Amino acid sequence: QVQLVESGGGLVQAGGSLRISCAVSGVTFSTYTIGWYRQAPGKERELVATVSSGDSTNYADSVKGRFTISRDNAKTTAYLQMNSLKPDDTAVYYCKVVHQRYYDMIYWGKGTLVTVSS
């Protein structure tokens, strides 16, 4: 059974930092692209960052220079380090994995809430 469990969310002041994690089980982690997405109240879910099986990264313009995505294949865990947080970063953050070759193999976590106070 595939499981993605996000953790590390919480309340932080503007300008602060937070690291959230996504622990993955039930798949061959190293063969999946990992993505972090977020959904703010009343808004659509949007892509934040991705890291491929080959460690190539991609970021939304809104978080470039502030967020860093990483993966630890030995721990089958992905991370999102968030610095210089802004109130606009407030959202539920979701982890998604997609197989590097079989693109219909997609799995989502249930999310972790990040709240940035002004």
Side-chain angles (χ1 to χ4, degrees):
Q1 183 179 358
V2 180
Q3 284 192 316
L4 284 73
V5 180
E6 299 96 334
S7 63
L11 175 64
V12 62
Q13 287 189 331
S17 298
L18 204 61
R19 187 179 81 158
I20 56 178
S21 303
C22 175
V24 182
S25 60
V27 298
T28 305
F29 183 80
S30 61
T31 63
Y32 281 73
T33 291
I34 313 298
W36 282 101
Y37 291 71
R38 67 186 181 186
Q39 188 166 17
K43 296 187 177 180
E44 294 186 353
R45 193 171 298 189
E46 63 176 0
L47 173 68
V48 176
T50 61
V51 57
S52 71
S53 57
D55 281 332
S56 295
T57 58
N58 182 55
Y59 296 91
D61 288 343
S62 59
V63 306
K64 278 181 182 176
R66 300 189 298 123
F67 290 11
T68 302
I69 189 172
S70 62
R71 63 189 298 159
D72 185 331
N73 289 342
K75 295 182 178 179
T76 66
T77 300
Y79 304 96
L80 186 68
Q81 176 67 43
M82 304 182 288
N83 299 328
S84 302
L85 282 161
K86 306 174 182 179
D88 284 349
D89 294 319
T90 295
V92 177
Y93 283 72
Y94 297 91
C95 179
K96 170 186 165 183
V97 298
V98 182
H99 194 273
Q100 63 184 3
R101 183 174 180 181
Y102 305 110
Y103 300 143
D104 58 336
M105 295 176 67
I106 301 170
Y107 305 97
W108 286 90
K110 294 183 178 180
T112 186
L113 176 62
V114 173
T115 304
V116 184
S117 63
S118 57

